[in-house]
Amino acid sequence: MDELTITARTSGIRLDKYIADNSEISRSFAAKLAEEGKITVNGKAADKKTKLNAGDEIIIEIPSPQTLEAQPQDIELDIVYEDDYVIVVNKPQGMVVHPAPGNPDGTLVNGLLYHCSLSSINGVIRPGIVHRIDKDTSGLLIVAKTNEAHESLSAQLKERKALRKYHCLVNGNIKEDSGTIDKPIGRHPSDRKKMAVITGGREAVTHFNVLERFGQYTLAECILETGRTHQIRVHMASIGHSIVGDPVYGIKKERFKTNGQLLHAKTIGFVHPVTGALMEFDSELPPYFTAILDKLRSEIG
């Protein structure tokens, strides 16, 4: 366990806010540590709401980071295809792909490890994971069972040879029938949990085709050329057409109640890493997605 000592330079500020503003510790984590009695001010345990005085000595006990390792769990999986080398899974909305702080289990990787062995290239947290989709994005994901398959699939993604088509419902009427969004993406300069279109970001290219228009909404197909974090969500928002239900990049007042963005990884294609056969798989939109589309279709007659 490590200790961090901070000397307050100003008065009247809450303890948790001061720690967040003057260290790498988030305000919520500072509040949690205070509740656990791991923060003292001038030698006495302090509450998160403690108002500081200039010169106060704050000592924070920082717990050692927990070692995460994905453990097999009996989780129901929607397996679209499987052989000795690859497995294609249809991930439901709400499922995290691999363990991470705050999501140590119940992930797709936990379920896959119970079902089969996976490649070891990405270590004990992300075994077999060649590419990811967000927790609240549903749809198809390729997973490698062997290291040989993993290397081949990773190369195909890097060389832009794999096919990844998504369907999404976006806010607003996209006027063009098709288009390409070529804008670099990187970490948001002021909110490190978000991505953004920024100068100096990594190259990101998304192609889109309009499938249906519903007045204030548009159903679009997005084809990834690159695979940056939150790419489709950031790109569509950047052209004024955020994805319906997106809690991060979307609009504040949504008409429809969703559990996240209406974005589905519908089609995936790749060259089989061992046989060389061209593989392509398609998946149906989930019921909560089609229900909203059906409602919009009924409204426009």
Side-chain angles (χ1 to χ4, degrees):
M1 188 173 292
D2 296 326
E3 277 191 357
L4 174 65
T5 301
I6 302 173
T7 300
R9 296 189 298 273
T10 53
S11 300
I13 301 177
R14 274 178 53 140
L15 176 65
D16 55 352
K17 184 178 189 308
Y18 191 83
I19 291 172
D21 291 344
N22 292 275
S23 73
E24 295 296 317
I25 299 172
S26 69
R27 186 168 180 174
S28 59
F29 189 44
K32 181 174 181 292
L33 292 176
E35 289 172 5
E36 295 172 353
K38 290 183 169 61
I39 302 179
T40 62
V41 175
N42 300 326
K44 296 182 179 179
D47 182 83
K48 64 181 180 181
K49 298 179 182 178
T50 298
K51 294 293 179 65
L52 296 171
N53 297 307
D56 283 347
E57 183 183 63
I58 307 159
I59 298 178
I60 308 162
E61 292 182 29
I62 304 174
S64 301
Q66 293 182 335
T67 301
L68 281 175
E69 182 172 347
Q71 300 294 332
Q73 286 181 286
D74 188 3
I75 299 171
E76 184 177 352
L77 301 174
D78 181 3
I79 297 170
V80 175
Y81 173 82
E82 181 179 11
D83 60 27
D84 291 338
Y85 308 98
V86 298
I87 183 167
V88 178
V89 184
N90 189 20
K91 186 189 83 67
Q93 185 184 59
M95 177 181 275
V96 175
V97 171
H98 61 77
N103 290 289
D105 53 27
T107 72
L108 180 66
V109 162
N110 294 112
L112 285 168
L113 285 172
Y114 184 89
H115 175 76
C116 63
S117 60
L118 301 174
S119 84
S120 61
I121 286 178
N122 274 341
V124 296
I125 300 301
R126 295 184 292 156
I129 299 303
V130 181
H131 66 117
R132 290 174 289 178
I133 53 179
D134 300 330
K135 173 186 175 182
D136 291 328
T137 297
S138 57
L140 299 178
L141 199 71
I142 318 167
V143 181
K145 284 187 170 185
T146 68
N147 289 356
E148 177 188 15
H150 198 132
E151 290 171 354
S152 172
L153 293 167
S154 293
Q156 290 180 52
L157 289 166
K158 185 177 182 180
E159 295 164 10
R160 307 181 186 184
K161 294 179 179 177
L163 174 67
R164 286 173 290 171
K165 290 183 180 180
Y166 290 69
H167 282 193
C168 59
L169 184 68
V170 302
N171 290 294
N173 184 0
I174 301 178
K175 294 180 180 179
E176 306 86 356
D177 289 337
S178 62
T180 295
I181 307 168
D182 186 350
K183 298 180 181 181
I185 290 176
R187 287 285 168 192
H188 193 286
S190 60
D191 187 344
R192 305 301 291 173
K193 294 181 181 179
K194 294 174 64 174
M195 307 301 289
V197 170
I198 60 169
T199 302
R202 299 180 70 189
E203 181 189 14
V205 181
T206 305
H207 308 282
F208 68 85
N209 299 302
V210 169
L211 301 176
E212 285 186 75
R213 292 186 174 92
F214 307 101
Q216 295 181 347
Y217 300 94
T218 305
L219 178 65
E221 172 189 74
C222 291
I223 303 171
L224 288 179
E225 187 172 318
T226 57
R228 308 305 174 211
T229 301
H230 299 176
Q231 178 172 317
I232 294 174
R233 298 165 63 190
V234 171
H235 268 174
M236 296 310 289
S238 78
I239 62 169
H241 297 290
S242 62
I243 297 175
V244 172
D246 192 327
V248 179
Y249 308 104
I251 61 176
K252 290 184 178 180
K253 292 185 178 180
E254 292 275 16
R255 171 187 170 185
F256 299 105
K257 291 184 178 180
T258 68
N259 291 318
Q261 59 275 0
L262 293 185
L263 178 62
H264 179 74
K266 195 169 191 310
T267 306
I268 202 155
F270 57 95
V271 174
H272 193 282
V274 176
T275 68
L278 181 61
M279 315 286 286
E280 187 170 313
F281 303 94
D282 189 73
S283 60
E284 297 295 327
L285 294 176
Y288 60 85
F289 199 142
T290 56
I292 291 175
L293 294 180
D294 289 343
K295 183 172 180 58
L296 291 171
R297 288 177 184 129
S298 69
E299 290 175 354
I300 63 172

